Amino acid sequence: QVQLVQSGAEVKKSGASVKVSCKASGYIFTEYAIHWVRQAPGQGLEWMGWINAGNGNRKYSQKFQGRVTITRDTSASTVYMDLSSLGSEDTALYYCARVTGTYCDYWGQGTLVTVSS
Amino acid sequence: QSALTQPASVSGSPGQSITIFCTGTSSDVGGYNYVSWYQQHPGKAPKLMIYDVTNRPSGVSYRFSGSKSGNTASLTISGLQAEDEADYYCNSFTISSTYVFGTGTKVTVL
């Protein structure tokens, strides 16, 4: 069965960077893309970017351009999301999700990133 | 890219039908038939309910349906049930080859 397992919760200081991983299993990793979506406490979903796991092509939301980097390791069937220059507004639950066509059909369990000053 | 506009809340009695609207622009909702809808219960990951405007994934109740007119997409829940109480988000592909979510709608079953 398809599974996306994310890395554990992180606590970071303002100005630091965080790297969240998303390990895929149960399907051919390189045949699908992965989206990253975040949700601040009590707030809505926010799309951050995506990567084609096959060819590595990426696209980011303009809001995060320059601060986010999404990469993948095909040998490990894992996608990574690196967010730099963290501020308190980056405290959120970060999700990875598999993309089929134009929609997300499987989601990771979420990784809580807490940014403290 | 601004978030798509959804009403903050919609409510209905059990058995009734409700519709949630999602308004964008010609650069997103209006330009592509790539609108999806997600249901999210508290503390849970989002769940796909509708994709490509009108398509329902297997396992999703027939009570959920989607449509689009111009720059506005909509999700209709018919025969409202207590388990439908959740947050709902629309999502659209955009002209920049990115995606954007709606602001989210809290559905309350009275």
Side-chain angles (χ1 to χ4, degrees), chain B:
Chain B
Q1 180 71 53
S2 299
L4 308 175
T5 301
Q6 296 181 233
S9 62
V10 173
S11 62
S13 298
Q16 284 187 328
S17 292
I18 61 169
T19 297
I20 303 168
F21 294 98
C22 167
T23 301
T25 68
S26 58
S27 295
D28 38 64
V29 174
Y32 308 91
N33 288 323
Y34 298 147
V35 176
S36 52
W37 289 89
Y38 299 87
Q39 176 193 65
Q40 187 180 35
H41 285 109
K44 301 292 188 181
K47 175 187 175 184
L48 178 69
M49 305 303 284
I50 294 288
Y51 67 94
D52 294 349
V53 179
T54 62
N55 296 292
R56 198 170 50 246
S58 68
V60 171
S61 172
Y62 67 93
R63 299 183 296 103
F64 290 83
S65 61
S67 64
K68 191 185 85 168
S69 177
N71 297 336
T72 298
S74 59
L75 173 72
T76 297
I77 309 174
S78 58
L80 200 60
Q81 297 181 1
E83 68 209 50
D84 300 331
E85 187 161 291
D87 294 325
Y88 291 82
Y89 297 90
C90 59
N91 179 273
S92 175
F93 182 73
T94 82
I95 196 171
S96 304
S97 296
T98 60
Y99 286 79
V100 62
F101 279 99
T103 50
T105 298
K106 181 176 181 59
V107 168
T108 301
V109 181
L110 302 171

Side-chain angles (χ1 to χ4, degrees), chain A residues 35-37 39 43-48 50 59-63 93 95 99-105 107-110, chain B residues 1 33-36 38 40 43-48 50-52 87 89 91 93 96-104:
Chain A
H35 281 192
W36 284 92
V37 175
Q39 187 169 36
Q43 302 301 306
L45 301 175
E46 184 172 32
W47 188 84
M48 299 181 69
W50 66 325
K59 197 76 176 180
Y60 303 129
S61 166
Q62 198 168 8
K63 174 176 178 176
L93 191 58
Y95 290 105
V99 179
T100 292
T102 63
Y103 52 91
C104 298
D105 54 359
W107 294 69
Q109 83 276 20
Chain B
Q1 180 71 53
N33 288 323
Y34 298 147
V35 176
S36 52
Y38 299 87
Q40 187 180 35
K44 301 292 188 181
K47 175 187 175 184
L48 178 69
I50 294 288
Y51 67 94
D52 294 349
D87 294 325
Y89 297 90
N91 179 273
F93 182 73
S96 304
S97 296
T98 60
Y99 286 79
V100 62
F101 279 99
T103 50

Side-chain angles (χ1 to χ4, degrees), chain A residues 3 7 28 35 47 66 68 80 95-97 100 103 108:
Chain A
Q3 277 195 302
S7 48
I28 299 174
H35 281 192
W47 188 84
V68 69
Y80 302 92
Y95 290 105
C96 63
T100 292
Y103 52 91

Side-chain angles (χ1 to χ4, degrees), chain A residues 1-5 23-27 106-107:
Chain A
Q1 71 285 20
V2 174
Q3 277 195 302
L4 298 174
V5 179
K23 182 170 177 58
S25 61
Y27 69 95
Y106 289 92
W107 294 69

